[in-house]
Amino acid sequence: MGDDRESGPSVPEGRAPWERPLSSIRQNGEHRPRSERPSTPDQDSPPQPGDSGRLGKRSPRNADTVSVAELVDKMSRSGSSRRVPTERPETEEPTEIIAPITDSTPPPFRAVPPTPPHAVPEPVGAPASDRPALTRLAMSRVRRRRRLRMVGRSLVSLIAILSVALTGVVWGYLRNTDQGFLQVAALDPDSTDVVDAAGQYGDETYLIVGTDTRTGASGEVGAGTVADAEGARSDTVMLVNISADRSRVVAVSFPRDLDVTRPECEQFDNDTNTYTGEMFPEAYGDKLNATYALGGPKCLVKTIQKISGLRIGHFVGMDFAGFESMVDEVGGVEVCTAQPLIDYELGDVLPNPGTQRIDGRTALNYVRARNVESEGNGDYGRIKRQQRFLSSLLRSALSNKVLLDPGKLNGFVNAFTSDTFVENVKTQDLVTLGRSLQNVDAGAVTFLTIPTTGTNDYGNEIPNDEAIGAIFQAIIDDDPLPGEERAEPVTPESSAPPAAPDAPLLAVEPGTVSLQVSNASDIAGMAQTASDELATYGFQILTVGNFSGSAAQTVVRYSQDQEAAAATVASAIPGAAIELAPSLNNVVEVVLGSNYPGYTQSPTAFGTAIDATQVEGTTESAPLPEDLSFTNAADDTCA
C-alpha cells in the first residue's frame, strides 16, 4: 500500500523523512527572527510550492533547516551549550477560572483538615516463628493458669451476687424483726430532772423492766394467776449506763419496794399497752412497783429519771414468758449456789448446791424467788441473784458463744422481739451495741444496788439520798466504782503550751459560750429564771435542770480550755466563783447555790480583763458509801 503523504525530493545528507527540523538557521548559524520568516499564506489562497499550511501536507525541507542530530553534533563541537528558544504559540490557551470556597460550597469541595498520624503498634518480643515450641508440661501449665483465671473470675462474680443477695436478706431480716417489737410510749427526753446533760453526751442509758403480769403466757409458766394479782408491776427495775467510749457498763438495780414520790401520771392499760387519758396527781410514799402498775412505762421513767438524774434514752420491758424463752434460746445459763435454794412459795428451786446449768423455767424461779429464809431480806437477796445470773449470761455472750453463733443469735433476737415492748430500740441498735461491747472485759461491768436506810411504817425501803446522788454523779463523771476492774484510759498530753500563771483572763463574746444551768438551791424554778436572763445577754443555753445535791456557793464550772468563758459568765452573776471540772468538755455549767441573789447583770465587755474568784471542791458530791452493795461481772465465785 502506498503512503498517504506525498513523496518529496530526497532529504539532503541522508536524513530520514520523519526527522523534523526544530528551527530555521541561517547559513552563518544565527537564528532568523520571526519577522524575517516567510509569511503564512491566507487560508483561501492556494498553497505555494515549498510552503505548508496548517492542514496541508508537509513540503520538502529546505536546505537551511537543521535536524536534531546536526544540532547535537554542532553543539558538541563548539563545546558550549546554547539555549535555543522555543516558539511561543501565537494564541494563548484559555485559563480555567475556579470559584472561591465559601460556606455555601458543598461539603465535598471544602477543605478537610489533615488526619493526624496514628501510632503504629510495634511488635514486642520475638516473632512467633522464632519462638521455641511449648512442651507438654508447659502447655499443661498454660491450660491450668487459664482454668484458674476463669475460676477466679467466676468466684468474684459469685461473691458479688451473694453480697447483694445477703444485703437484701439482712435488710429484710432487720425490717421483719423491727416489726416484731411492740412499741410503747415511755421516754421523757425533755425532762428538767436530767443532771449534767453535757457530761452524759455520748452515753447510752437503758431502763430495763421485768414486769410481773399474770395474764396470757406469763400465767402459763407458773407466774401465778390474775386472782393473785391483777394488772402488772415492775418486778425488776435495772438502769444500765454504757459510757460514751464503751470502756465500762454500770447496771443499777432498784428495789421494787423503794419509797418514791410518784409524779403526775396518766393511767396505763396493761392489756392494750395504751394510755387511757385519765390523770393521777403527784403522790408521796408510793412503792416503785406500784408506780408502774398505775402509770405504766411513762410514769416509771419519770420516777427513775428524777432519782438518778440520768437521761434515759431507751426503754425495754419484758414479761416472764419472754425471759424464759430467751434463756432457752441461748442453751441455758450456768449458775452456782453455795447452798440449796428453797422458796416456801416456789418450792425447791435449786435443791443441790454447786455449779449447774439451768433452763428457762428454772432460771425464772431463780431470779424471782424472794421468800428464801437463808437470805434474810428477800428483796436484796433476790437482786443479788439477778445480778449474778446476768453476770453469767454476759460472760457467756462476751465469750462469743451467742454473738458469733447465727442460730443462737437468731433465736435470741426472735425471742427478744416477740415478748418485749420497747421505745427507741431497734435490732440494728442492739447489734451495733453488742459489737461495741465485744472488747469490754467482764471486769468492766459492775452491778450496783440502790442503798437504803431501812423501812418505814408502810414497809417501803427508805432511800439513802446522799449515797444515791454520789453513785449517779460518779457514773456521770466516769469516776471509778467499787469492785470495778477496767484499764485506765490513756489521755494524750496536750501539745499546746500552758498559759502563763500571771496572764490575765480576757472576757469572751457571750454568743460563743454554751451554758448548762443547774439548780442546787432549795428554790424550785430558779434555774429556768436564771437561764432566761442569761440568754438575753447572748449566752447559748443548752439544758436547764437540777444539780445532784445542794450547794451554798454559786459556782460556774468549766473544763481546761474554758476558763475565760467561765469567768465571763461569772461576771454576770453577783457572788459567783469559777471551778475546774474536767468532765464538762466544752460546756460551761452554772450551779446556782443558796447565795444566788435571784438576778443577773451585764457580763464584762469583750476583751476586758477579768479578775475571777477561783474555788475548789465546793460542788463535789458526797463520797460513795463504804458498804455499797455491788457485783462485778467477772466474779464467778460460788455464793
Side-chain angles (χ1 to χ4, degrees), residues 548-569:
S548 58
S550 59
Q553 172 76 41
T554 298
V555 177
V556 180
R557 306 170 72 223
Y558 65 95
S559 60
Q560 190 65 43
D561 299 330
Q562 299 294 319
E563 185 176 3
T568 305
V569 177

Side-chain angles (χ1 to χ4, degrees), residues 335-374:
V335 298
C336 181
T337 179
Q339 54 188 356
L341 181 63
I342 300 174
D343 185 272
Y344 66 80
E345 285 187 357
L346 300 176
D348 295 343
V349 179
L350 294 177
N352 301 316
T355 302
Q356 48 200 299
R357 182 172 292 275
I358 58 178
D359 59 9
R361 178 65 62 88
T362 306
L364 179 61
N365 291 332
Y366 179 81
V367 299
R368 287 184 60 216
R370 64 193 304 263
N371 296 299
V372 180
E373 184 177 358
S374 60

Side-chain angles (χ1 to χ4, degrees), residues 129-307:
S129 59
D130 298 340
R131 299 173 188 170
L134 296 178
T135 63
R136 290 183 178 180
L137 180 59
M139 290 295 295
S140 177
R141 290 176 179 174
V142 170
R143 288 192 294 269
R144 188 182 301 110
R145 284 196 295 268
R146 289 177 179 174
R147 287 196 297 268
L148 291 176
R149 189 180 300 111
M150 183 64 65
V151 172
R153 292 175 179 174
S154 301
L155 286 177
V156 171
S157 301
L158 180 61
I159 291 173
I161 295 173
L162 290 177
S163 299
V164 174
L166 183 61
T167 301
V169 171
V170 171
W171 182 84
Y173 171 75
L174 294 177
R175 183 179 178 87
N176 290 334
T177 53
D178 286 341
Q179 292 177 351
F181 284 119
L182 177 61
Q183 300 292 328
V184 61
L187 303 179
D188 185 17
D190 299 326
S191 174
T192 58
D193 294 324
V194 175
V195 174
D196 193 3
Q200 301 181 48
Y201 180 78
D203 291 0
E204 297 285 353
T205 304
Y206 289 76
L207 181 61
I208 301 177
V209 179
T211 60
D212 179 2
T213 180
R214 311 299 169 90
T215 60
S218 295
E220 297 175 1
V221 300
T225 64
V226 178
D228 299 330
E230 295 182 358
R233 288 146 300 282
S234 55
D235 190 68
T236 300
V237 178
M238 187 172 292
L239 190 61
V240 181
N241 176 266
I242 304 170
S243 62
D245 60 359
R246 304 298 186 263
S247 64
R248 77 168 181 184
V249 179
V250 182
V252 182
S253 298
F254 292 78
R256 57 178 289 174
D257 294 335
L258 185 68
D259 187 85
V260 297
T261 299
R262 190 192 70 218
E264 182 183 20
C265 296
E266 183 180 3
Q267 186 180 30
F268 180 72
D269 186 349
N270 185 72
D271 295 333
T272 60
N273 286 318
T274 58
Y275 296 90
T276 64
E278 184 180 355
M279 301 300 297
F280 292 94
E282 182 181 19
Y284 298 93
D286 211 351
K287 281 184 170 63
L288 183 64
N289 65 342
T291 301
Y292 181 89
L294 180 68
K298 272 187 178 181
C299 195
L300 182 63
V301 167
K302 288 182 178 180
T303 303
I304 298 298
Q305 208 158 238
K306 187 175 185 63
I307 295 173

Side-chain angles (χ1 to χ4, degrees), residues 370-442:
R370 64 193 304 263
N371 296 299
V372 180
E373 184 177 358
S374 60
E375 292 180 349
N377 189 330
D379 211 16
Y380 279 90
R382 184 172 64 97
I383 289 176
K384 194 70 174 181
R385 270 184 278 110
Q386 292 174 354
Q387 294 175 350
R388 289 189 175 277
F389 178 86
L390 292 177
S391 296
S392 178
L393 178 61
L394 181 64
R395 288 195 301 269
S396 177
L398 293 179
S399 64
N400 298 328
K401 293 180 181 179
V402 175
L403 296 178
L404 297 184
D405 188 328
K408 290 183 178 180
L409 182 59
N410 182 52
F412 183 82
V413 171
N414 287 336
F416 184 84
T417 58
S418 61
D419 292 291
T420 55
F421 45 99
V422 302
E423 184 176 8
N424 196 26
V425 175
K426 295 182 179 179
T427 306
Q428 182 62 43
D429 299 334
L430 296 177
V431 173
T432 302
L433 182 62
R435 289 177 179 175
S436 65
L437 294 178
Q438 283 184 352
N439 297 325
V440 176
D441 295 331

Side-chain angles (χ1 to χ4, degrees), residues 52-176:
S52 176
R54 188 167 23 176
L55 300 178
K57 298 181 179 178
R58 293 183 180 180
S59 60
R61 299 185 182 277
N62 298 330
D64 58 347
T65 61
V66 181
S67 68
V68 175
E70 291 176 327
L71 178 61
V72 172
D73 183 70
K74 186 175 180 179
M75 292 178 65
S76 62
R77 288 196 305 266
S78 63
S80 60
S81 177
R82 184 175 298 177
R83 182 177 181 181
V84 180
T86 58
E87 289 189 56
R88 296 182 61 187
E90 296 181 0
T91 60
E92 296 182 357
E93 294 291 337
T95 304
E96 180 181 3
I97 300 176
I98 300 176
I101 298 176
T102 62
D103 293 340
S104 60
T105 305
F109 298 96
R110 290 183 180 177
V112 179
T115 303
H118 295 279
V120 180
E122 298 181 359
V124 179
S129 59
D130 298 340
R131 299 173 188 170
L134 296 178
T135 63
R136 290 183 178 180
L137 180 59
M139 290 295 295
S140 177
R141 290 176 179 174
V142 170
R143 288 192 294 269
R144 188 182 301 110
R145 284 196 295 268
R146 289 177 179 174
R147 287 196 297 268
L148 291 176
R149 189 180 300 111
M150 183 64 65
V151 172
R153 292 175 179 174
S154 301
L155 286 177
V156 171
S157 301
L158 180 61
I159 291 173
I161 295 173
L162 290 177
S163 299
V164 174
L166 183 61
T167 301
V169 171
V170 171
W171 182 84
Y173 171 75
L174 294 177
R175 183 179 178 87
N176 290 334

